[in-house]
Amino acid sequence: MEEHTLAPVSSRESLHLLGGLILTRERLLTLLDELDDQDLHHQVHDFPTLGGYALHLAQIELWWNKMVLTGEGLTAEDRKKFDFKEKQEITAPTGMEKSWVLARLGEARMLTREYYHSLSDFEFRKAILKVKDGDTEKVYSPEWVLYHLNHHESYHLGQMYMLLKWINGRREKWDHFNTPYLSI
């Protein structure tokens, strides 16, 4: 019998929901593990590359951590290290290595884990996080932010899997197509 749970069950709600985010990240890491650098940067029409999606996930998680959860703001070093652009685009730097993007994903995730490990259930559910959006101010709970990060990562992970199928269908990797038997 197969059993599906979110992760080791915790007595704290924040850690339980964090378990769902961890499972989503494990699926992302499984997908990235199967890629080589050529796959990471393979361009299909005007869609973002798989590397672009992976970096975007790290950037957004860092943004929510620094700008909303802790309120520290993004430093110039953060912007450089995570390749932030003024206009939000899903791109990856030319020549970006898989190990580099994995490090950015790991750094952003450690901030998320540290933040949520420090919360009580009361703090987790309370709408206390203010975000200025143009002329309006929005208030979020840490619970909503964690749910949003999970939804965002799941959404782009689905796009990445579809893009990978498209890439593999358009670029054959089979050596037997290059054999002399096809010219007979």
Side-chain angles (χ1 to χ4, degrees), residues 103-171:
R104 302 297 79 80
L105 286 164
E107 289 174 53
R109 181 50 48 90
M110 287 309 298
L111 293 173
T112 303
R113 291 174 68 129
E114 288 171 10
Y115 179 83
Y116 283 98
H117 276 274
S118 70
L119 290 182
S120 69
D121 283 343
F122 177 75
E123 294 167 319
F124 179 61
R125 292 190 173 272
K126 191 173 181 180
I128 54 172
L129 305 168
K130 295 178 182 178
V131 176
K132 191 101 167 124
D133 186 12
D135 294 336
T136 61
E137 185 174 77
K138 297 180 179 180
V139 182
Y140 298 97
S141 68
E143 177 185 35
W144 186 92
V145 172
L146 190 54
Y147 173 80
H148 173 71
L149 287 173
N150 196 8
H151 178 265
H152 182 255
E153 190 156 320
S154 297
Y155 178 78
H156 285 311
L157 181 59
Q159 290 176 313
M160 292 171 76
Y161 272 110
M162 288 187 64
L163 188 57
L164 184 59
K165 282 188 177 202
W166 195 349
I167 289 169
N168 286 335
R170 294 187 67 212
R171 188 186 68 222

Side-chain angles (χ1 to χ4, degrees), residues 12-171:
R12 294 193 17 231
E13 292 180 30
S14 60
L15 300 183
H16 186 64
L17 192 53
L18 184 61
L21 187 61
I22 290 168
L23 288 177
T24 303
R25 178 56 55 87
E26 287 173 359
R27 288 186 179 104
L28 174 64
L29 295 176
T30 298
L31 180 140
L32 292 174
D33 186 52
E34 297 170 4
L35 301 179
D36 58 23
D37 285 340
Q38 185 181 5
D39 292 331
L40 202 61
H41 294 286
H42 188 81
Q43 189 72 51
V44 176
H45 300 295
D46 58 350
F47 290 104
T49 63
L50 294 167
Y53 277 122
L55 179 57
H56 171 72
L57 291 171
Q59 292 169 332
I60 295 302
E61 189 167 354
L62 180 75
W63 185 90
W64 278 99
N65 272 287
K66 295 281 189 135
M67 299 300 290
V68 180
L69 296 176
T70 65
E72 296 172 5
L74 290 171
T75 65
E77 182 182 336
D78 292 331
R79 291 180 182 282
K80 183 178 179 183
K81 192 175 192 180
F82 280 75
D83 196 49
F84 273 94
K85 308 284 188 241
E86 281 305 311
K87 182 180 175 191
Q88 186 182 19
E89 296 176 342
I90 301 178
T91 61
T94 305
M96 177 185 79
E97 294 180 0
K98 185 168 45 171
S99 61
W100 182 85
V101 76
L102 289 172
R104 302 297 79 80
L105 286 164
E107 289 174 53
R109 181 50 48 90
M110 287 309 298
L111 293 173
T112 303
R113 291 174 68 129
E114 288 171 10
Y115 179 83
Y116 283 98
H117 276 274
S118 70
L119 290 182
S120 69
D121 283 343
F122 177 75
E123 294 167 319
F124 179 61
R125 292 190 173 272
K126 191 173 181 180
I128 54 172
L129 305 168
K130 295 178 182 178
V131 176
K132 191 101 167 124
D133 186 12
D135 294 336
T136 61
E137 185 174 77
K138 297 180 179 180
V139 182
Y140 298 97
S141 68
E143 177 185 35
W144 186 92
V145 172
L146 190 54
Y147 173 80
H148 173 71
L149 287 173
N150 196 8
H151 178 265
H152 182 255
E153 190 156 320
S154 297
Y155 178 78
H156 285 311
L157 181 59
Q159 290 176 313
M160 292 171 76
Y161 272 110
M162 288 187 64
L163 188 57
L164 184 59
K165 282 188 177 202
W166 195 349
I167 289 169
N168 286 335
R170 294 187 67 212
R171 188 186 68 222

